[in-house]
Amino acid sequence: MGSIASVLSAARLTAQTVNELVVDVGFSTTVAGKTYVADVTYSNGEYVAEDGNLSGAVATGNSIVSAENNLTARIDILV
């Protein structure tokens, strides 16, 4: 089994690369009395919140919280 030390020594990682490797956050929100569960990841310099069970429920933001808030607003529009 490898360690993170071997990964870090193999290549110089940028802050963006580290974020892409470590940001995978779950959250839930309630809209119109129904609870939706989503994930937030970091990709291409922005946070992406997505509920894979609801078509079109994808939003971005410059922070985890803003992506979550934007997704909540998007879900409110969709339902």
Side-chain angles (χ1 to χ4, degrees):
M1 178 185 280
S3 71
I4 194 163
S6 63
V7 171
L8 293 175
S9 66
R12 181 171 225 169
L13 298 176
T14 65
Q16 179 175 335
T17 303
V18 171
N19 270 343
E20 289 177 3
L21 293 171
V22 300
V23 174
D24 189 358
V25 180
F27 84 101
S28 64
T29 186
T30 302
V31 176
K34 183 174 179 185
T35 301
Y36 298 87
V37 178
D39 292 313
V40 180
T41 56
Y42 186 84
S43 179
N44 296 320
E46 64 187 356
Y47 294 88
V48 180
E50 180 175 13
D51 180 343
N53 295 316
L54 182 61
S55 180
V58 178
T60 60
N62 59 3
S63 71
I64 292 172
V65 172
S66 68
E68 291 173 351
N69 291 339
N70 292 340
L71 181 61
T72 300
R74 178 75 178 138
I75 291 171
D76 190 42
I77 292 168
L78 292 171
V79 298

